[in-house]
Amino acid sequence: MQNSMMAQIQQGHSYAKLWPLRRELAPMFVENRIISATLFAIKVMPVLALTSLVVQLQLLGQYYLGPALACALLILSLPVQGLLWLAKRASSPLPPAHAHWYKELYTKMVAQGYQGAPAKAKPRYRELALLLKDVFDKMDKTFRQELF
């Protein structure tokens, strides 16, 4: 069963809020760049689309309304594409190397007294985001320095 587009956009937005935007994770995961670009696009693209539409209509006239609207809609679709990518990424299973790292990280956290949700047998990026968020929120600084 496929989710509706609005449900996928909401899932992507919740994944963007869940993922810890930390400097330590940037070399390992592309999420930091995608989330930053998507959040920036959400703020900037509506203004850019409206400016593009107005400028094209002013310079070229009303006969170019169709192409001007198409250009504005393309500009408006960019943040939506980012959110859809994040939704797909959130529900994707981790590759074997990251899955192994997820299990090691969970084991080390439990040894330090972590009491969170049990580790998944086949983790997805959403579970990794939850675990990493707990690492940065609940674990001490020395534990994080050992990991990264």
Side-chain angles (χ1 to χ4, degrees), residues 85-96:
W85 185 91
L86 288 168
K88 183 169 175 60
R89 179 76 163 198
S91 61
S92 300
L94 291 174

Side-chain angles (χ1 to χ4, degrees), residues 15 29 31 89-90 92-95 98 124-129:
Y15 181 64
F29 301 101
E31 273 82 356
R89 179 76 163 198
S92 300
L94 291 174
H98 286 143
R124 299 178 186 273
Y125 278 94
R126 178 175 278 297
E127 285 88 25
L128 178 63

